[in-house]
Amino acid sequence: DAGVTQTPRHEVAEKGQTIILKCEPVSGHNDLFWYRQTKIQGLELLSYFRSKSLMEDGGAFKDRFKAEMLNSSFSTLKIQPTEPKDSAVYLCASSFLGDYAEQFFGPGTRLTVL
Amino acid sequence: QQQVRQSPQSLTVWEGETAILNCSYEDSTFDYFPWYWQFPRESPALLIAIRPVSNKKEDGRFTIFFNKREKKLSLHITDSQPGDSATYFCAASANSGTYQRFGTGTKLQVVP
């Protein structure tokens, strides 16, 4: 079975641009997560979907970050407009329904904002 | 507010020693504690997890010790190997529709 896939793997953007990151969860998984990972802050939750419904929108990330899940097998994360401080690795993860389920992480997208 | 805390931030041990990674949490409703490890240039992956029906979970050289009263747990890695060098994340969740909260991680280096 295919794991979580993310595209692109690397993205370079100019400050102020709009970028869209894509994620395909493991087939059959009901929960999908978007995280931002930096060395200083560690793993920060951006969004959490359960069965395509947005359960958590990451509070501090609301203004320029928007995640969507149009169907059970595809999700996007839009950052608009980008800022240099957004440079990080963006991870998508999915799991079966349930609070005790293992999260499977994708390979991540490394974003650099100039 | 960080609901899951980890210490130390980084740890160096010699090959063969026991590494001890600590984790504490705030929410007393948390009842599932997975540990994920992340190797350089890779994504996190589940290593071992515990439900507090017992105070200990063992898997080979990796053991979780759990103290519900103090809201603390620790991951012990016995006979540490250079291949164990990674960042270890403690996470916690509850059976209430909440998601797993992650700690900030402990970076372990095992020196040959």
Side-chain angles (χ1 to χ4, degrees), chain A:
Chain A
D1 283 341
V4 177
T5 59
Q6 291 186 248
T7 56
R9 294 293 306 276
H10 297 89
E11 178 79 61
V12 178
E14 297 283 343
K15 177 183 174 181
Q17 268 188 282
T18 295
I19 63 103
I20 297 176
L21 310 181
K22 301 168 187 173
C23 173
E24 295 178 31
V26 175
S27 178
H29 281 186
N30 300 94
D31 286 359
L32 185 139
F33 306 85
W34 283 99
Y35 295 94
R36 183 172 76 176
Q37 185 173 33
T38 59
K39 286 186 178 179
I40 295 176
Q41 298 293 337
L43 281 167
E44 299 174 282
L45 182 74
L46 301 175
S47 293
Y48 160 42
F49 294 88
R50 171 159 285 184
S51 301
K52 299 187 296 180
S53 296
L54 182 64
M55 306 296 288
E56 179 69 38
D57 63 4
F61 297 95
K62 280 184 184 179
D63 57 344
R64 297 183 298 107
F65 293 73
K66 184 176 176 63
E68 292 185 314
M69 196 161 187
L70 300 179
N71 60 60
S72 60
S73 59
F74 185 71
S75 177
T76 59
L77 175 66
K78 179 191 289 187
I79 308 176
Q80 177 184 34
T82 52
E83 298 182 5
K85 65 181 179 181
D86 299 332
S87 297
V89 175
Y90 290 81
L91 292 166
C92 178
S94 70
S95 69
F96 285 112
L97 185 66
D99 304 299
Y100 306 136
E102 174 184 356
Q103 289 191 24
F104 291 82
F105 285 81
T109 295
R110 182 173 294 278
L111 173 65
T112 302
V113 182
L114 304 175

Side-chain angles (χ1 to χ4, degrees), chain B residues 26-43:
Chain B
E26 300 287 330
D27 191 335
S28 58
T29 66
F30 287 153
D31 61 357
Y32 176 64
F33 302 91
W35 285 80
Y36 291 78
W37 55 353
Q38 182 177 25
F39 297 99
R41 294 173 296 283
E42 294 188 14
S43 295

Side-chain angles (χ1 to χ4, degrees), chain B residues 25-82:
Chain B
Y25 60 98
E26 300 287 330
D27 191 335
S28 58
T29 66
F30 287 153
D31 61 357
Y32 176 64
F33 302 91
W35 285 80
Y36 291 78
W37 55 353
Q38 182 177 25
F39 297 99
R41 294 173 296 283
E42 294 188 14
S43 295
L46 181 67
L47 169 62
I48 186 173
I50 189 169
R51 293 276 316 277
V53 292
S54 68
N55 294 329
K56 180 181 175 181
K57 176 72 177 291
E58 197 169 349
D59 185 356
R61 296 184 295 107
F62 300 89
T63 303
I64 300 174
F65 293 93
F66 179 75
N67 185 325
K68 185 174 182 178
R69 183 179 60 84
E70 295 187 8
K71 291 193 248 180
K72 291 181 178 179
L73 57 160
S74 60
L75 175 67
H76 292 225
I77 307 173
T78 58
D79 188 26
S80 295
Q81 302 296 309

Side-chain angles (χ1 to χ4, degrees), chain B residues 6-34:
Chain B
Q6 290 186 249
S7 64
Q9 193 171 8
S10 63
L11 176 66
T12 299
V13 299
W14 293 102
E15 181 177 357
E17 289 187 331
T18 296
I20 300 176
L21 289 66
N22 301 303
C23 179
S24 63
Y25 60 98
E26 300 287 330
D27 191 335
S28 58
T29 66
F30 287 153
D31 61 357
Y32 176 64
F33 302 91

